[in-house]
Amino acid sequence: MSAPTVLHVAGARPNFPKAAPVIRALDQRGIRQRLVHTGQHYDERMSEVFFRQLHLPEPDVNLGVGSGSHASQTAAVMAGLDRLVSVERPALTVVYGDVNSALAAALVAAKLSIPVAHVEAGLRSFDRAMPEEINRIVVDHVADLLFATSPDAAVHLGNEGIPADKVHLVGNPMIDTLLANLDRFDNAAVRAALALPERYLVATLHRPGNVDDAADAVDLVKVLHTVADQIPVVMPLHPRGRRHLEDAGLLTHRALRVVEPLGYLEFVSLVRGAAAVVTDSGGVQEETTMLGVPCLTLRPNTERPITVTHGTNRLVTRSNLTEVVAETIARDRPPTWRTPPLWDGHAGQRIADVLASHLG
Ligand code: UD1
Ligand code: UDP
């Protein structure tokens, strides 16, 4: 009989920094692994650059599903994985975060009676208008091993009736990647490459709630321009938001610089030196919390409240963003700040310990 295999399924930008430390820690334990890239994200800057910079192994398979409606994208991942998982029969399937690729993979594995491990389990925004919230709930309820990044996430799983022995509070593998790369972040180099002054603000926006509606985009662009009146803004723009935001006049302010999505090292280098960040990204709320950079999250809720209670995060609206930016950039960054428990760079090792003991 061949050695048991752990199958990782990743496919979208936020999956890659989460998978890297888990794959590395399992590798150190000599565990056989396979990596499937679903192809949900496919542009070089949304995918390949992360493999290169984070030393991820080349995927064994790329399903090449590409973009589409939620149903068609999820279905394409399911159909591709169904064949592969039925033949390979891995001992465990590991899925990451709350993207459609994770939902599809968890459903396929669960229906083939293959145990599912969910990295980043239990996060809840309690907002079912977010596609990710549906994905989180479904994945958590079919998973066998649930890895929580924060105590509140473990509490949510308990409240939903998930037995405590399935839940492991392990810390945050995204933060493992951040801490492992601290020496590689070069703010001066990225500022020089983008011709940025010393003080600037970073903005990233891609949530459907912010960028999918053309009329809303007009309002959003007006507000971003009032921010750029106060401080130069650099905006590595996700492909999702591009058309609506540009049609709404995003590019017409001289102090607002739109650039292509950046590689991981360049992006975190940029964030690290920013006076503040305006975002709707999940990962960026966490990274700013660790780096002590003020984060203004343009959303009505967050599934990561620990970044507010322990970190630098604050929820903002279009109505108060301009004023909050003014307040934030007028203040010095606090010299010390709290970070969430177990966000210490060792989450991947803890996850690998649990997976290895599950494999026996
Ligand atoms: C997905 C995740 C979201 C995550 C985000 C991170 C779901 C439901 N959503 O959203 O949770 O925060 O990734 O980045 O899984 N596109 C390209 N090139 C690419 C990929 C996408 O141009 O490489 C464009 C396509 O027009 C596509 C659109 O972006 O239709 C949206 O891509 P999709 O993967 O469906 O969702 P995201 O908005 O990226
Ligand atoms: N990121 C990057 N380049 C960019 C924007 C983001 O490398 O131009 C990284 C960043 O580390 C972030 C991660 O990609 O934490 C995932 O971000 P994204 O906002 O795409 O997804 P989310 O976390 O909102 O699901």
Side-chain angles (χ1 to χ4, degrees), residues 12-14 40-43 46 67-68 70 73 98-101 131-132 135 206-207 238-240:
R13 180 165 73 180
Q40 176 173 347
H41 285 175
Y42 41 85
D43 290 345
M46 299 295 287
S67 306
H70 285 273
Q73 188 176 60
D98 53 18
V99 300
N100 285 344
S101 297
E132 294 83 0
N135 294 350
H206 72 276
R207 294 277 160 211
H238 189 287
R240 181 178 199 107

Side-chain angles (χ1 to χ4, degrees), residues 13-14 50 174 206-207 236 261-264 267-268 281-284 287:
R13 180 165 73 180
F50 292 84
M174 180 82 135
H206 72 276
R207 294 277 160 211
L262 295 173
Y264 177 78
F267 180 74
V268 183
S281 157
V284 175
E287 289 157 347

Side-chain angles (χ1 to χ4, degrees), residues 6 47-48 50 143 200 272:
V6 172
S47 173
E48 209 183 303
F50 292 84
Y200 60 89
R272 196 180 191 183

Side-chain angles (χ1 to χ4, degrees), residues 98-349:
D98 53 18
V99 300
N100 285 344
S101 297
L103 168 69
L107 285 174
V108 168
K111 295 228 171 178
L112 291 169
S113 303
I114 305 232
V116 174
H118 185 204
V119 172
E120 202 183 85
L123 295 184
R124 295 290 181 269
S125 64
F126 301 100
D127 176 2
R128 291 207 184 189
M130 283 184 83
E132 294 83 0
E133 184 75 353
I134 315 272
N135 294 350
R136 293 178 194 122
I137 293 167
V138 175
V139 175
D140 285 339
H141 282 263
V142 298
D144 301 275
L145 296 168
L146 296 98
F147 295 110
T149 52
S150 55
D152 57 295
V155 170
H156 296 148
L157 295 169
N159 291 344
E160 292 176 17
I162 292 175
D165 61 355
K166 289 183 170 187
V167 178
H168 304 269
L169 178 60
V170 290
N172 192 333
M174 180 82 135
I175 298 306
D176 289 14
T177 296
L178 180 93
L179 295 177
N181 287 289
L182 277 182
D183 290 348
R184 298 170 78 200
F185 301 133
D186 186 344
N187 180 256
V190 76
R191 269 196 294 117
L194 298 173
L196 283 173
E198 212 159 299
R199 273 179 72 72
Y200 60 89
L201 181 143
V202 175
T204 79
L205 296 166
H206 72 276
R207 294 277 160 211
N210 276 329
V211 303
D212 274 11
D213 182 87
D216 276 359
V218 174
D219 283 347
L220 179 57
V221 165
K222 275 193 200 135
V223 177
L224 290 172
H225 284 179
T226 65
V227 171
D229 289 339
Q230 304 178 52
I231 182 167
V233 175
V234 57
M235 194 166 181
L237 195 52
H238 189 287
R240 181 178 199 107
R242 186 167 282 269
R243 192 168 53 84
H244 279 155
L245 295 177
E246 289 188 358
D247 287 353
L250 184 69
L251 306 179
T252 58
H253 195 297
R254 342 188 330 271
L256 193 155
R257 179 88 192 284
V258 171
V259 297
E260 293 293 315
L262 295 173
Y264 177 78
L265 295 177
E266 293 77 16
F267 180 74
V268 183
S269 301
L270 187 70
V271 165
R272 196 180 191 183
V277 175
V278 174
T279 193
D280 56 13
S281 157
V284 175
Q285 293 173 58
E286 297 179 345
E287 289 157 347
T288 45
T289 276
M290 282 310 287
L291 295 168
V293 176
C295 180
L296 309 179
T297 296
L298 190 56
R299 283 180 41 189
N301 50 54
T302 178
E303 62 291 327
R304 292 162 162 90
I306 200 154
T307 59
V308 177
T309 54
H310 284 60
T312 55
N313 194 14
R314 172 165 177 192
L315 298 185
V316 293
T317 62
R318 277 179 215 173
S319 325
N320 71 5
L321 180 63
T322 311
E323 187 189 312
V324 177
V325 165
E327 260 171 46
T328 307
I329 63 177
R331 269 199 307 262
D332 287 335
R333 276 197 206 170
T336 56
W337 65 97
R338 288 201 296 168
T339 54
L342 299 178
W343 289 20
D344 58 0
H346 303 297
Q349 297 290 351

Side-chain angles (χ1 to χ4, degrees), residues 67-78:
S67 306
S69 68
H70 285 273
S72 62
Q73 188 176 60
T74 307
V77 177
M78 288 183 75

